[in-house]
């Protein structure tokens, strides 16, 4: 007669150990959510170097975005007066609080639970962050737009995003992000950080940059909306001439005409709407979709032909495409004000600035400032 098979009490394969379930639970407590950029910096040497680059003073209040398990936090607290840690994940907020429980530094830590982009931030002197890649661009411009921006920010980014921030005219990665960021701040690449320094490791390499906002007399006296609105048009296709970007796209001409009409209405300037002809508009080619670098939050396509058109242009092209196919021709009444706007653009590009044959990818900050000033003098605004 055969024997009945019995399970072994201590068999690891059967999972019969009274501690096996508890062990499994423990291992899953911190299953990092990479969808919100949870890649914890585990290399203590890198953490020490990042804090050292901030040149902290004993009186500094430091903002840390995404403290995670507190590997950077504990090192910042050793040198700063206070740390304000903004954390989206309640589990991480609880972990960093628990890590400092019972220590003298506990009173120096303030944890704010929520999205840093939507949170109203208290005053702070320095920002240090292992930045979730999805909020890279919004975080940079939120910090720069503060009434009293931090003295310095030491931020970890995706390598390609960091290189775009520091790119110069003529570089392959030079783009609207580069111009905007460097217009308002001095940006320096500090160090490279390999993906194996994180847990779990991300799919890309990282870099740390230092951002020092321009303050006082160095801070540009230019409207952000005006500046960025003009750059959006210049970088529609950064490797095309500015003449082609401004005069070769009917959506741009229509937008500039609308803005000019608004300016005329606000300044009591008469507009001549006399119809002079019916023109057949140029063909509208549907271009492949894409997003601008300020909107993909640091996850970027390295191809030069990325569609960098502002969302208005893409939406208009998609609407026309759905209505009439990928190419369409339509009749539009040409008015004297439309001709006037076109002539003003031509005058600015060819006569005043002589930038018509230049490409945005080769233009520097001074070129764009001259361009904005010349447009404003002609009554053309972008805000």
């Amino acid at each position: 007669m055969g024997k009945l098979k019995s399970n072994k009490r201590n068999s690891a394969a059967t999972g019969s150990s009274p501690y096996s379930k508890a062990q499994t639970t423990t291992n899953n407590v911190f299953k990092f959510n990479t969808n919100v950029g949870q890649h914890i910096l585990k290399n203590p040497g890198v953490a020490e170097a990042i804090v050292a680059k901030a040149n902290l003073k004993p009186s500094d209040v430091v903002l840390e975005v995404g403290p995670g398990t507190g590997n950077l936090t504990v090192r910042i607290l050793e040198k700063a007066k206070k740390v304000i840690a903004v954390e989206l994940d309640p589990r991480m907020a609880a972990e960093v609080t628990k890590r400092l429980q019972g220590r003298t530094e506990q009173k120096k830590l303030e944890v704010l639970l929520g999205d840093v982009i939507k949170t109203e931030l208290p005053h702070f002197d320095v920002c240090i962050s292992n930045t979730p890649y999805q909020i890279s661009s919004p975080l940079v411009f939120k910090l720069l737009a503060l009434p009293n921006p931090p003295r310095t920010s030491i931020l970890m980014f995706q390598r390609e995003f960091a290189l775009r921030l520091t790119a110069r005219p003529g570089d392959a990665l030079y783009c609207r992000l580069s111009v905007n960021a460097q217009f308002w701040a001095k940006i320096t690449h500090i160090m490279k950080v390999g993906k194996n320094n994180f847990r779990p490791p991300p799919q890309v390499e990282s870099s740390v940059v230092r951002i020092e906002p321009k303050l006082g007399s160095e801070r540009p006296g230019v409207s952000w909306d005006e500046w960025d609105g003009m750059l959006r048009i210049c970088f529609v296709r950064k490797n095309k001439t500015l003449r082609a970007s401004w005069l070769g796209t009917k959506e741009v001409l229509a937008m500039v005409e609308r803005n000019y009409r608004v300016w005329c209405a606000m300044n009591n300037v008469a507009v001549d709407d006399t119809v002079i002809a019916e023109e057949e508009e140029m063909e509208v080619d549907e271009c492949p979709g894409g997003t601008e670098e300020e909107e993909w939050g640091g996850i970027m396509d390295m191809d030069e032909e990325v569609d960098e058109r502002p969302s208005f242009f893409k939406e208009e092209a998609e609407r026309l495409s759905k209505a009439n196919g990928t190419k369409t021709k339509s009749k539009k009444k040409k008015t004297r004000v439309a001709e006037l706007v076109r002539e003003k653009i031509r005058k600015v590009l060819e006569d005043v600035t002589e930038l018509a044959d230049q490409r945005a990818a080769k233009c520097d900050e001074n070129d764009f400032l001259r361009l904005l000033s010349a447009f404003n003098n002609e009554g053309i605004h972008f805000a």
Side-chain angles (χ1 to χ4, degrees), residues 257-268:
E257 181 184 338
R258 284 195 301 274
N259 287 0
Y260 180 70
R261 287 176 179 274
V262 171
W263 180 84
C264 289
M266 294 176 65
N267 291 273
N268 297 318

Side-chain angles (χ1 to χ4, degrees), residues 227-241:
W227 176 256
D228 186 58
M230 185 196 71
L231 289 181
R232 283 175 181 269
I233 299 174
C234 293
F235 282 92
V236 165
R237 287 289 186 274
K238 68 177 184 179
N239 290 315
K240 283 189 175 182
T241 64

Side-chain angles (χ1 to χ4, degrees), residues 60-123:
D60 280 337
V61 176
V62 179
L63 175 74
E64 184 184 7
V65 179
T69 56
N71 293 340
L72 271 173
T73 314
V74 293
R75 289 167 173 81
I76 299 171
L77 285 169
E78 292 172 359
K79 298 186 177 183
K81 176 183 178 181
K82 180 181 180 181
V83 172
I84 302 169
V86 184
E87 177 57 64
L88 182 65
D89 190 339
R91 300 175 307 155
M92 295 297 177
E95 177 64 18
V96 72
T97 302
K98 180 181 176 182
R99 182 168 180 174
L100 290 160
Q101 199 167 16
R103 297 175 56 171
T104 56
E105 294 90 349
Q106 182 180 4
K107 295 180 181 179
K108 298 164 62 177
L109 175 67
E110 178 183 352
V111 179
L112 301 180
L113 189 61
D115 184 347
V116 67
I117 305 303
K118 300 176 182 178
T119 301
E120 185 175 347
L121 300 173
H123 172 75

Side-chain angles (χ1 to χ4, degrees), residues 259-287:
N259 287 0
Y260 180 70
R261 287 176 179 274
V262 171
W263 180 84
C264 289
M266 294 176 65
N267 291 273
N268 297 318
V269 177
V271 173
D272 188 352
D273 270 323
T274 305
V275 177
I276 56 178
E278 272 196 352
E279 66 174 1
E280 190 176 75
E281 292 188 345
M282 67 184 71
E283 291 183 345
V284 181
D285 293 323
E286 176 63 16
C287 297

Side-chain angles (χ1 to χ4, degrees), residues 103-159:
R103 297 175 56 171
T104 56
E105 294 90 349
Q106 182 180 4
K107 295 180 181 179
K108 298 164 62 177
L109 175 67
E110 178 183 352
V111 179
L112 301 180
L113 189 61
D115 184 347
V116 67
I117 305 303
K118 300 176 182 178
T119 301
E120 185 175 347
L121 300 173
H123 172 75
F124 57 96
D125 304 296
V126 176
C127 179
I128 299 177
S129 171
N130 173 18
T131 313
Y133 295 151
Q134 290 83 348
I135 63 167
S136 296
S137 183
L139 178 61
V140 169
F141 290 105
K142 172 158 186 165
L143 294 175
L144 294 178
L146 290 172
N148 295 302
R151 179 179 75 246
T152 185
S153 297
I154 307 296
L155 308 176
M156 180 104 69
F157 291 125
Q158 176 186 351
R159 176 77 49 80

